[in-house]
Structure formats: structure tokens, C-alpha cells
Amino acid sequence: MSDPSLFEEFEPIETSESGWFDGLFDIDVRSLAVLRVFLGLLVIYEVWGCLANQDCFFSESGIATIDQIQTWLGDGWWSLYFIDGSPSLARMLMILTLITAACMTVGLRTRVMTFICLVLIWSLQVRDPLILNGGHILLRMLLFWSLFLPMSAVWSLDERLGEYADPERWRERSVCTAAIMLQMAFMYYFSGLAKCNPAWTSGEAVGQVFEMDMYVKPMGAWLNNSHPWVTKIVTWVVLGAETLGPVLLFGPKIHQAARGFFMALFLLMHLGIWLTLDAGIFPLVAAAGWVIFIPTQVWDLVHFRPSDCQDPYEKRFTVTNVLCTTALLYVAASHILTSGPMAAQWQSSGAEYPGRVAMITQEFKLFGEPPVFNPSYQYQATLADNSKVEIFSAMYSSRPENPSPYEYFGSQQWRRIHSNLSTAPDAPVSPEIQELREQLLQSVVDQWNNTHGSNQFVKSAELTCVIETINDEDAEPVVQKWANWTDAQP
């Protein structure tokens, strides 16, 4: 990167900054480089998983057609996957996403590759919103704000190839750094506001989440059954951290200490989520986002730099700052207005359209309303030889013969689509949801038939959902008949 002799006389940086807000929005370029690598690897990880289920979730012959997704989403949404519903286009776009993510990871033509990757990730997410969670939204937004930052100033091929000179300033400070920091704060704060309800204030919410058998991992189930007092404490800690932490991160004079404390707290929280729940990529993306809060002093302990590199980067692109400021104001307004009584007016006014065009529309709840029902699912089929088989668990698992609800699903994508098509026992089912349930069953049957001989073809199948009420042991389970299929159907 630089001549090693430059670092032989390294001395700690001295700064004359002493104001209350000094360093408030500074990000070390080494933090940006590490974030770039994490984002690239997370995109590769996510898209690789999508390739495995491409035919189910991203083709016209799968669970949802383009027309159905557009009807589900409403006006103003766009996606490159809407050009053509063929599996070949979907596969080509996913492979292109993998290539651009790899280039972004190593820092080759970073800004261009980040933009292309953002467009492709947005297109992938819009093609099938039924399988998304908050982690996908945060991943997209971190990619968006990265467009305005020097993500490849160090530790990148761009730097090696001369795109960047050796940094004269190792800290970036601009409205763009403020935007990506505030994005992390928005996610926690507004999901914390959504949690200001009796389930969370009473300490019951995390325990209710752990009653969702299809999501809870063995460690979470053990913790909830054996040590329920722990889940109560965790509930209150999460509520307090999400509502207070984002404010204290930017507190005058205390922001550095607050960032160290809450970084450790939230990283432990995300580790706990990863160990106890299947939350997809959310804990990984959220943990990666905390890299931007690592201060220069910490980086200096592990990586020497010249002692004359002490000032923030110059603001070189006015147009960049204007675009970033506009996007930041829009994101802030959307969070504030949709979290209060004006949410309906915001949604009905068409104010969401600019966010959809610019790929910055977002909403974070993160179990703001904890689950009330605990569903499980069954795909019972009669085969051509008249044997009866549970075709989903038999087809998608290297799992036990009688899998638990968690073991039943092999990925978070399958969990999410079943959750999004679930309704309360007494709730009416819209024609759109009913049609998607039928196509879900059709898709599973087709995959079974494509991998089995004719004597094992499905002759008839039924998809049912069994719903138990959480925290009400006296309530009888409700069986919902989601869909039926026979080979006599056209």
C-alpha cells in the first residue's frame, strides 16, 4: 500500500479538537474498507442461497409470478427481474450480482461495482419480497450510502492500481458519513419505538418470539423453557438499548464512550440472535454495520499510519453531498412520519414513490409486535403407488424422520414465505394470498415429481397449517386447509 519506511517513525496522532461535537461523524477509512469487504461477502452469501432456490422464488413457474408480485407490492416498484420471468434471466442476474460483489469485496472499480450491485440487490429483493426481513433492507441501505464514501481508499485493488493515492487524511467527515451512521441509528431507534407496547414493557416479548417453533433454534428453546427469567431480562435490555442507544451514540462529549459500550452490547445481542433464532442475514449485516463506529485510535493499535495524517478528508464533490443530504432528509422524514399518526397519509400521498425509485424505501419493526400464534405446516401427499408421504420434509431435508418445526425448513427463505402467507385463525383470506398458497403447493409438488420416478409421482396433495395460540395452553389448535392438489387438475 505504502512504503514501509513511512511507518517507522509512527507517533500517536495529536489533535487540537476539544469541542463537544468534535469527531461526532468521523469514520476512519480503514473502517470503510472493512465494511466494504463485509458487505461484498454478505451479498455473495445471500445470492448464493438464492441460486439454490431460484426456480421456486424467482421464476414464473415458481411460487409467485411477476404479475402477482406487482399486485402484492402496488405501484412504483421496479426490478430488472420484471423484464422476463424466465429462469435463464434470473440465473444470469444472480451470477452478475456475484461477480460485482466479488469486485466490490476486493475493491476493484469500487464505486461502479457498488452501484451495479445495489441495483441488482434491489431488483432481487423486489422480485420476491415474501422472503425478506430487516437484514435485507439494512444490507441494501448500507450499499446505498457506500456509494458516497471512499470505500476503497485503503486495502483495495483500486488503491494498488493508483485509483487512490496513499491517504493524506485517514478520517472521512461529511454529510455522507453522518448518513450511514444515522442509518444504523434509525434502524434501532424506530424498531425500538415499535416495541413500546405491553408485550415488551412487561418482559414477555422475547419469550413469545421463542415460542415460534419454526424460527427458534435448540438453544433458544432450551433457554425459554429452562430459564424464562433470562428472556425477561433480555426483553428489557433490548427495549432499552434500541430506544436509548441510538440517541446516546451522538451525545455531546459522551459519544465515544457510548459507542464503545453500545457496540459491545449490540454485538452481544446479535450473537445471541444468531445462536437462538433463525433471523437470516440480519444479525450478520447489523454486526457488520457497527464497523463504522470503530474510532481511529483503535485502528492505530493494529495498523500504523504516518503521524501527519490527521485531518478529515476534504469535501471534494459538492454534488455528492447534495444528493446524500437529499436522500438522508427523505429517509429521516419517512421514518418519522410512518412511525406516528401520519403513516396512512404518507402512504396514500404517493410520498413513497421517490424512495422506491431511488431504492431507499425502508421500514424496521424487528418483532415490534411479537407473535401471537405458533404455526406449523404439513404437505401430505398420496403417491402413484398409494403410499402416503410428507413430501416437503422428505424432499428438503437431511433432517430426522420426524423433524421438529425448526428442522422442517431448510432455510430462512422457506420460513419467511410461509410466515408471510399465514393469517390469524379468524382472519379472512384474500384471493391473492389464497392463489399464492395454491402455487406454493404446486411448486413443491412439481419439485417432488421432477426428482422422483413415475411410480413415486404425487397423485394428490394437501397443504395445511396448524395454528397454536402462544401463552394460552387451553386454546385448541386450529387447522387451516391452505390448498389441495390432484393430478386431474389442468
Side-chain angles (χ1 to χ4, degrees):
M1 182 183 74
S2 302
D3 186 347
S5 63
L6 292 175
F7 302 124
E8 292 177 356
E9 301 298 327
F10 170 77
E11 297 177 0
I13 297 301
E14 294 183 2
T15 176
S16 60
E17 294 179 342
S18 59
W20 279 35
F21 298 99
D22 288 334
L24 191 63
F25 294 115
D26 286 7
I27 301 180
D28 194 287
V29 293
R30 292 165 290 189
S31 295
L32 294 176
V34 174
L35 177 63
R36 182 197 76 235
V37 173
F38 282 166
L39 293 180
L41 293 177
L42 285 167
V43 169
I44 291 170
Y45 172 78
E46 178 64 19
V47 176
W48 190 261
C50 290
L51 271 171
N53 292 308
Q54 172 204 321
D55 292 338
C56 293
F57 300 122
F58 303 101
S59 71
E60 288 292 274
S61 59
I63 296 167
T65 66
I66 291 173
D67 287 341
Q68 287 173 314
I69 291 298
Q70 290 176 323
T71 300
W72 179 282
L73 291 172
D75 297 332
W77 298 86
W78 62 271
S79 169
L80 296 178
Y81 289 79
F82 290 169
I83 296 173
D84 178 3
S86 66
S88 58
L89 175 66
R91 190 177 301 109
M92 182 191 73
L93 291 174
M94 289 182 194
I95 292 173
L96 182 59
T97 309
L98 291 174
I99 294 171
T100 56
C103 291
M104 185 180 71
T105 302
V106 299
L108 178 63
R109 299 295 180 188
T110 306
R111 199 179 300 273
V112 173
M113 292 301 166
T114 302
F115 176 74
I116 296 172
C117 193
L118 171 64
V119 170
L120 292 168
I121 282 294
W122 165 267
S123 296
L124 186 73
Q125 293 178 359
V126 172
R127 176 58 182 90
D128 201 343
L130 295 169
I131 61 175
L132 304 183
N133 65 15
H136 298 95
I137 299 173
L138 181 60
L139 176 62
R140 167 168 46 85
M141 290 309 303
L142 292 177
L143 286 171
F144 177 83
W145 299 120
S146 295
L147 289 173
F148 305 101
L149 294 166
M151 305 297 287
S152 59
V154 296
W155 303 338
S156 70
L157 289 180
D158 284 343
E159 181 218 1
R160 293 281 185 178
L161 296 172
E163 182 77 13
Y164 283 92
D166 290 331
E168 296 178 358
R169 301 171 177 84
W170 288 71
R171 288 178 297 152
E172 172 80 357
R173 181 194 301 167
S174 67
V175 67
C176 308
T177 60
I180 196 169
M181 286 179 158
L182 288 170
Q183 176 66 64
M184 292 292 292
F186 289 158
M187 179 190 69
Y188 290 116
Y189 182 71
F190 287 100
S191 63
L193 286 186
K195 293 179 173 67
C196 293
N197 55 58
W200 283 89
T201 56
S202 67
E204 301 296 328
V206 170
Q208 287 181 229
V209 173
F210 283 173
E211 292 290 336
M212 287 278 287
D213 292 333
M214 64 186 293
Y215 283 102
V216 67
K217 295 180 179 178
M219 180 178 288
W222 168 80
L223 193 66
N224 193 42
N225 294 329
S226 303
H227 304 284
W229 60 272
V230 175
T231 62
K232 279 183 174 289
I233 293 175
V234 170
T235 301
W236 291 322
V237 169
V238 170
L239 179 60
E242 290 189 347
T243 51
L244 295 178
V247 177
L248 297 179
L249 290 178
F250 304 98
K253 283 288 187 182
I254 65 168
H255 61 274
Q256 293 291 2
R259 287 173 186 179
F261 174 78
F262 283 105
M263 183 185 301
L265 181 61
F266 277 106
L267 288 177
L268 285 173
M269 186 178 81
H270 294 309
L271 175 62
I273 293 173
W274 182 74
L275 290 172
T276 57
L277 286 173
D278 181 4
I281 65 169
F282 170 71
L284 300 177
V285 178
W290 278 100
V291 171
I292 60 176
F293 291 98
I294 298 176
T296 291
Q297 293 85 345
V298 173
W299 283 116
D300 286 346
L301 295 176
V302 295
H303 176 265
F304 292 142
R305 63 192 174 97
S307 59
D308 59 344
C309 300
Q310 50 184 303
D311 297 324
Y313 270 99
E314 297 173 354
K315 302 176 182 65
R316 290 173 290 180
F317 298 103
T318 303
V319 108
T320 298
N321 290 334
V322 170
L323 290 173
C324 196
T325 301
T326 304
L328 178 59
L329 291 174
Y330 177 88
V331 167
S334 68
H335 276 299
I336 293 169
L337 295 177
T338 56
S339 64
M342 297 184 64
Q345 291 90 324
W346 173 272
Q347 294 168 355
S348 63
S349 66
E352 290 184 328
Y353 289 178
R356 295 170 185 173
V357 172
M359 302 175 286
I360 57 176
T361 185
Q362 58 188 282
E363 183 179 30
F364 295 100
K365 298 297 183 183
L366 307 182
F367 288 114
E369 292 290 341
V372 178
F373 301 106
N374 177 30
S376 60
Y377 308 88
Q378 297 176 351
Y379 286 80
Q380 294 293 340
T382 301
L383 306 183
D385 62 2
N386 291 322
S387 61
K388 296 187 182 299
V389 179
E390 211 298 341
I391 57 175
F392 191 92
S393 60
M395 184 168 49
Y396 286 104
S397 78
S398 45
R399 300 154 226 171
E401 185 176 345
N402 296 307
S404 67
Y406 175 75
E407 294 168 327
Y408 185 80
F409 292 103
S411 70
Q412 226 256 350
Q413 294 172 337
W414 284 107
R415 292 184 178 93
R416 289 297 301 170
I417 198 164
H418 284 80
S419 289
N420 281 320
L421 295 180
S422 297
T423 55
D426 56 350
V429 179
S430 68
E432 293 80 13
I433 288 181
Q434 183 56 43
E435 187 176 12
L436 288 170
R437 288 176 176 179
E438 292 170 358
Q439 289 179 207
L440 176 61
L441 176 58
Q442 175 76 62
S443 179
V444 172
V445 168
D446 287 345
Q447 289 186 74
W448 174 276
N449 287 341
N450 289 337
T451 55
H452 290 78
S454 58
N455 65 323
Q456 292 285 298
F457 276 9
V458 174
K459 186 164 61 174
S460 63
E462 181 180 63
L463 170 56
T464 60
C465 175
V466 180
I467 302 176
E468 298 176 348
T469 303
I470 295 174
N471 293 337
D472 188 354
E473 296 180 356
D474 296 330
E476 291 292 327
V478 175
V479 178
Q480 292 180 332
K481 303 292 186 180
W482 273 24
N484 289 283
W485 183 93
T486 67
D487 58 5
Q489 291 180 325

